[in-house]
Amino acid sequence: MKIIMLGAPGAGKGTQAKMIAEKYSIPHISTGDIFRANIKEGTDLGKKAKEYMDKGLLVPDELVVDLVVDRLTWDDTKNGYVLDGFPRTIPQAEALTKALAARGEKVDFAINIDIPDENIIERMGGRRACVTCGATYHIVNIPPKKEGVCDKCGSELILRDDDKPETVRKRLDVYHEQTQPLIDYYTKEGVLKDVDGTVDMMDVFGAIVQILGE
Ligand code: AP5
Ligand code: MG
Ligand code: ZN
């Protein structure tokens, strides 16, 4: 099962992708997480990516596409994967279609988590992420058991650098301009599925399971 997650920043792509990965035993591949891990380790890729991410801009396609296409050849992708945060531009979608077609494969589901911009700004200010394992929380909606501490691994929870309100607004503009056109792209491919992202996270997941099957 090859799944891609679409939706604005803060729509809940990461939250849902983690649950999908667990239920269907497929890897969760998040380009945002890959970049953040590289930033933490101080790699060249991380240094380049950070310049764009901190401004709320997309990392250039040439730094993303090869990385993902390579990741999709790893052994753990035999039964599929859930891609979170990729593709994010039409050239990225075209590169993915082409790389898959070369192996006689295609995307099975493009899940679009639909949510208005107003809901997003509120969510992002409350998001806290684990520095070690990447788990995400929300101080009001999905709080950790102990404030500031990850339930899963006990590490510190932080506010992401790009979750400041002015950067979130920029990310939303970039989303509408560069990523939203993918909704049309995957509608034409016949694989787009919309889910309402404004409801409780377990209800969002229920709607996704209905689409993917038990
Ligand atoms: P990335 O890490 O992908 O960020 P994003 O798309 O902006 O999305 P987020 O991770 O912020 O949101 P999400 O949809 O995963 O929501 P979450 O589940 O956390 O990318 C970061 C940057 O990297 C980009 O800006 C770009 O620079 C670069 N980049 C990455 N991929 C790239 C690519 N392919 N090309 C170019 N550049 C790329 O949920 C948000 C919050 O809401 C959380 O606090 C959560 O707990 C809460 N929440 C979730 N669901 C619900 C619910 N149903 N009800 C209430 N609260 C909820
Ligand atoms: Mg995410
Ligand atoms: Zn953790």
Side-chain angles (χ1 to χ4, degrees):
M1 191 148 51
K2 300 179 191 67
I3 304 163
I4 63 176
M5 305 301 295
L6 297 177
K13 299 182 297 296
T15 302
Q16 297 300 326
K18 285 191 188 83
M19 291 194 276
I20 294 169
E22 199 164 312
K23 178 168 172 71
Y24 298 96
S25 305
I26 51 178
H28 167 209
I29 302 173
S30 158
T31 43
D33 287 352
I34 293 171
F35 289 137
R36 283 184 288 277
N38 274 275
I39 292 172
K40 202 175 156 206
E41 287 157 24
T43 67
D44 277 348
L45 176 65
K47 283 181 194 131
K48 282 184 201 155
K50 187 170 170 32
E51 281 177 41
Y52 298 91
M53 290 170 72
D54 283 352
K55 292 185 190 129
L57 301 173
L58 295 183
V59 175
D61 290 339
E62 54 275 22
L63 291 182
V64 188
V65 170
D66 293 349
L67 180 126
V68 175
V69 169
D70 173 72
R71 178 65 184 83
L72 299 185
T73 65
W74 292 18
D75 248 10
D76 65 349
T77 64
K78 280 195 307 289
N79 298 322
Y81 39 79
V82 51
L83 269 179
D84 162 18
F86 181 95
R88 243 191 170 85
T89 63
I90 292 285
Q92 289 181 19
E94 287 170 343
L96 177 64
T97 303
K98 199 169 143 216
L100 292 180
R103 293 181 237 151
E105 299 175 355
K106 66 185 269 297
V107 167
D108 299 307
F109 299 97
I111 309 260
N112 179 44
I113 306 182
D114 200 16
I115 177 167
D117 287 5
E118 308 87 78
N119 300 37
I120 304 250
I121 312 245
E122 182 270 323
R123 268 194 197 178
M124 303 299 246
R127 173 165 61 184
R128 295 295 179 273
C130 173
V131 284
T132 304
C133 78
T136 49
Y137 302 86
H138 188 281
I139 51 176
V140 181
N141 303 334
I142 311 165
K145 292 197 184 76
K146 181 161 182 267
E147 194 186 320
V149 179
C150 179
D151 291 350
K152 298 203 176 85
C153 75
S155 295
E156 183 198 357
L157 300 178
I158 55 152
L159 177 69
R160 259 166 57 176
D161 284 341
D162 58 350
D163 278 350
K164 291 187 234 99
E166 62 279 14
T167 315
V168 171
R169 271 188 213 100
K170 180 70 200 166
R171 286 161 63 198
L172 281 168
D173 290 345
V174 167
Y175 165 77
H176 290 301
E177 203 174 297
Q178 301 193 55
T179 308
Q180 210 169 13
L182 296 184
I183 294 175
D184 273 349
Y185 182 93
Y186 285 106
T187 302
K188 288 194 188 107
E189 300 262 305
V191 295
L192 191 92
K193 303 285 176 190
D194 280 305
V195 296
D196 178 2
T198 61
V199 297
D200 180 82
M201 64 183 255
M202 291 317 297
D203 294 332
V204 179
F205 188 57
I208 293 175
V209 171
Q210 288 266 306
I211 292 164
L212 301 179
E214 273 301 336

